[in-house]
Amino acid sequence: MTTFASGTTGSNAKDVLTRDALTVLQPGFTGTTAPDWLLRRLGEGLASVGLFGRNITSPEQLSALTAQLRAERDDVLVAIDEEGGDVTRLEVRTGSSFPGNHALGAVDDVDLTREVASELGRRLAACGVNLNWAPSADVNSDPDNPVIGVRSFGATADLVARHTAAYVTGLQSSGVAACTKHFPGHGDTAIDSHHALPRIDADLPVLMSRELSPFRAAIAAGSRAVMSAHILVPALDPDHPATLSHKVLTDLLRGELGYDGLIVTDGMEMQAIAGTYGIERGSVLAIAAGADAICVGGGLADDETVRRLRDALVSAVHSGELPEERLADAAERVRSLARWTAAASAAETETRGDPEVGLRAARRAVRLTGTGDFTPLTEAPYVAAFTPVANFAVGDETPWGVAAELSRLLPGTETGSFAGEGAGMAALAAAGRRRIVAVVRDEHRHPWMTSALDSVLRSRPDTIVVEMGVPQAPTRGALHIATHGAARVCGVAAAEVIAGE
C-alpha cells in the first residue's frame, strides 16, 4: 500500500517532477479489473483513475475493483461520469434508477434534487467511488444543443443555479466530491465538442448573468472540483478554448469567482482539443493555463497514453514552457482533494438511503397533455421507438424507452426501432392493428422524426406519443407524455400512465 504526500517522497528533484506529472493525470483503462500497468503507475505516483461503463458490471464487481486500486494506493481518487438520467455508468446496461437533471428541473423542488444527489452519492461511496464528474451546470439556452439537452436542469440561469447548488450539497453530503461542469458553460452551442471545437458568441454581460450564474452557485455550495469545457468564448478569450485559457481558468475562475478547488479538464481526447492541438500539447497548455487534473481515458485508455502525457509535461518543465511551480501546485491540489475525500469517508456514518427516491422524482417529472379523454390501455400495444444517434456522452449501449416496462404491465407488448426516411410508414406496417405508442427523443432536433410522427398520426390519431428528450415540439396524439429524460425510471413512470398504474 502506498500513500504519497507532497515533498515527502523521492530521492531527487527529477523523481518529484515525474511523480507530479503522473499525479495530475486522470486516465481510464479497459476491463473490469485493474491492469498491471495501472497498478504500477499508482505505485509511481498516479493519483487518480477514471471509470466508465466498460469497467462496471455490478456494484459488487465495482467494489472489488476500487478495493484493488486502494490496495496499491489508499488515497487514490476514483472518478466516474455518473450524472444519472441519460448519462449513467453505474447502470449502463439497464438504464439509470435516477432521473437526470432536466427531469429534476421540471419538478423544481430543490429538496428533491438534494435527496436524489445524496442517494446517488451514497451508492457511489458504497462502491468505493469518491469523485463524480457531475453535475452539469450548463444552461440549455440553445434548444438545438446536440450534447447538453436533458443533461441540463433547464433553460434559465436561476433554475439551473439553485438546482446545481442543491445537487452539489446532496452529493457531497455522502462523502463524494462533486465536479461541476462544463465551465464556463456549454449550453449555448450547436456543436458537440467530442467532434469539433464549439464557439459561443454571447457578449460578456450575457455570459456573466447566464452561463456563470450556476457556477457561482456551485462555488458557494462548496463544489470540490470544476470541469472545464472545450469551447471557444471570444468575449472571455478570443484565442484559446476555455480548457487552455489562462484568462478563463486563472483570471476568471480563480480570480474573479474566487474558486480554490480542483480544476479538471474535460476529456483531452475529444476532437475539440485532440483534433486542433493534440493531447500532449493540449495537456501542457491546460496545466499552464490553470487546470490541475487532465482527464483522459474515455477513448484513450492505455499505458502508452499515460507515458506520453507524463513525458510531455516533464519536457515542458525542462524547456521552460511550463513553470515547475505550476505543475507542483496542480499536483498538490489533487492530493488536497484526496485528503478531503479520505476525511469525508471516515466521517461518514452508515445512513439508510431512499432507494425509491429516483422513481418518485421521475413520476413527479411526467407532464401530460392530450386532445381528448384518455383511457389507460388494457391490451398490449405496439411501441414504435424513433431512435436518433446518441451523443458520445450518453452512448448507445444504454437501453431507453417504455417497451420493457409496458411488457411487464401489458404482457405481449411488441416493439421496433425506426430511423430515417420512411420510418413512419415502416412503423405503421410493423404495428398492424395494435394501438401504437410512439416514442421520440428530442423530436424538435430531427426533421425525419417529425415526418415519421406525422405519418403515424395521420393514419392513427389515437397514437400515444412519449417524448423522452427536451419537449420543444408541439404536443400531439391522443395522449402526449413528456418525461424530460430517457432514464429507466422515466420509462417506468411513462408506462405506468399508459397502463393506468
Side-chain angles (χ1 to χ4, degrees):
M1 179 183 297
T2 308
T3 301
F4 293 110
S6 179
T8 63
T9 60
S11 58
N12 54 52
K14 179 180 178 181
D15 291 339
V16 172
L17 178 59
T18 301
R19 188 168 60 253
D20 283 349
L22 280 173
T23 297
V24 302
L25 302 181
Q26 291 190 348
F29 63 95
T30 58
T32 54
T33 58
D36 290 342
W37 70 261
L38 183 65
L39 297 176
R40 184 178 72 256
R41 294 300 186 191
L42 287 172
E44 294 172 355
L46 187 70
S48 308
V49 175
L51 301 182
F52 298 86
R54 66 187 177 222
N55 305 121
I56 301 168
T57 59
S58 69
E60 295 76 19
Q61 171 269 326
L62 178 55
S63 296
L65 171 58
T66 58
Q68 183 187 17
L69 296 171
R70 289 200 167 84
E72 186 60 45
R73 177 167 184 158
D74 59 3
D75 63 346
V76 63
L77 287 171
V78 181
I80 197 168
D81 191 10
E82 180 57 54
E83 299 176 15
D86 291 31
V87 181
T88 179
R89 312 308 179 203
L90 283 181
E91 300 176 280
V92 66
R93 291 166 184 80
T94 60
S96 182
S97 300
F98 301 92
N101 286 2
H102 205 62
L104 295 171
V107 178
D108 196 13
D109 179 343
V110 292
D111 291 333
L112 180 65
T113 294
R114 192 177 300 110
E115 278 188 77
V116 167
S118 178
E119 175 62 15
L120 177 59
R122 189 186 67 81
R123 295 191 194 184
L124 290 172
C127 294
V129 176
N130 54 11
L131 172 60
N132 190 11
W133 294 319
S136 289
D138 310 289
V139 180
N140 198 51
S141 51
D142 183 351
D144 291 330
N145 192 310
V147 67
I148 300 301
V150 295
R151 301 168 66 195
S152 168
F153 289 110
T156 63
D158 288 347
L159 173 72
V160 175
R162 61 178 173 266
H163 286 277
T164 296
Y167 197 105
V168 167
T169 301
L171 184 64
Q172 294 188 164
S173 72
S174 298
V176 175
C179 183
T180 306
K181 60 188 182 185
H182 307 80
F183 187 83
H186 211 312
D188 192 18
T189 60
I191 294 175
D192 184 343
S193 51
H194 290 92
H195 306 303
L197 179 62
R199 176 186 176 110
I200 294 180
D201 284 313
D203 60 27
L204 192 58
V206 170
L207 292 169
M208 291 296 176
S209 63
R210 186 181 66 187
E211 268 72 18
L212 296 185
S213 177
F215 290 97
R216 289 193 188 94
I219 292 168
S223 184
R224 292 287 165 175
V226 168
M227 178 176 283
S228 67
H230 304 329
I231 56 177
L232 185 67
V233 188
L236 300 177
D237 186 336
D239 301 316
H240 303 96
T243 293
L244 312 183
S245 172
H246 189 278
K247 293 178 181 177
V248 173
L249 299 187
T250 299
D251 297 344
L252 176 59
L253 182 55
R254 291 272 188 234
E256 188 169 342
L257 300 187
Y259 176 66
D260 195 41
L262 189 76
I263 300 177
V264 184
T265 72
D266 207 346
M268 297 300 285
E269 69 272 30
M270 295 163 63
Q271 285 303 299
I273 299 297
T276 53
Y277 295 85
I279 63 168
E280 294 98 330
R281 175 76 175 153
S283 295
V284 169
L285 292 175
I287 297 295
D292 306 306
I294 300 296
C295 175
V296 63
L300 299 171
D302 54 31
D303 190 39
E304 175 63 16
T305 299
V306 171
R307 184 194 64 76
R308 286 164 50 201
L309 296 182
R310 178 203 64 189
D311 291 351
L313 292 169
V314 170
S315 295
V317 170
H318 288 319
S319 71
E321 182 180 17
L322 175 63
E324 185 173 0
E325 295 79 8
R326 170 78 275 271
L327 180 61
D329 173 65
E332 178 54 29
R333 289 182 188 276
V334 174
R335 299 183 187 108
S336 177
L337 181 59
R339 290 192 291 271
W340 180 87
T341 59
S345 175
E348 192 60 27
T349 58
E350 183 63 28
T351 57
R352 295 187 62 184
D354 178 2
E356 296 298 312
V357 67
L359 181 55
R360 286 197 292 109
R363 286 169 174 158
R364 290 181 62 185
V366 166
R367 299 292 180 267
L368 309 177
T369 55
T371 59
D373 293 335
F374 171 72
T375 302
L377 304 191
T378 57
E379 296 182 357
Y382 184 85
V383 178
F386 296 114
T387 307
V389 175
N391 74 54
F392 188 89
V394 173
D396 58 9
E397 58 187 332
T398 304
W400 67 284
V402 300
E405 186 63 15
L406 276 177
S407 294
R408 184 184 70 81
L409 299 175
L410 299 170
T413 294
E414 295 183 4
T415 187
S417 180
F418 306 91
E421 185 178 352
M425 298 306 296
L428 284 167
R433 299 179 65 182
R434 287 174 178 257
R435 183 78 174 271
I436 297 176
V437 177
V439 186
V440 296
R441 198 172 184 178
D442 289 337
E443 181 203 339
H444 67 284
R445 293 202 304 109
H446 305 285
W448 70 263
M449 198 179 292
T450 297
S451 178
L453 196 54
D454 287 342
S455 295
V456 170
L457 289 169
R458 277 195 298 268
S459 297
R460 302 289 291 275
D462 65 344
T463 293
I464 298 167
V465 178
V466 182
E467 169 61 86
M468 303 195 78
V470 177
Q472 288 283 325
T475 58
R476 293 175 289 166
L479 177 68
H480 187 280
I481 304 173
T483 62
H484 299 91
R488 179 181 57 81
V489 286
C490 295
V492 171
E496 289 174 343
V497 172
I498 295 168
E501 288 286 311

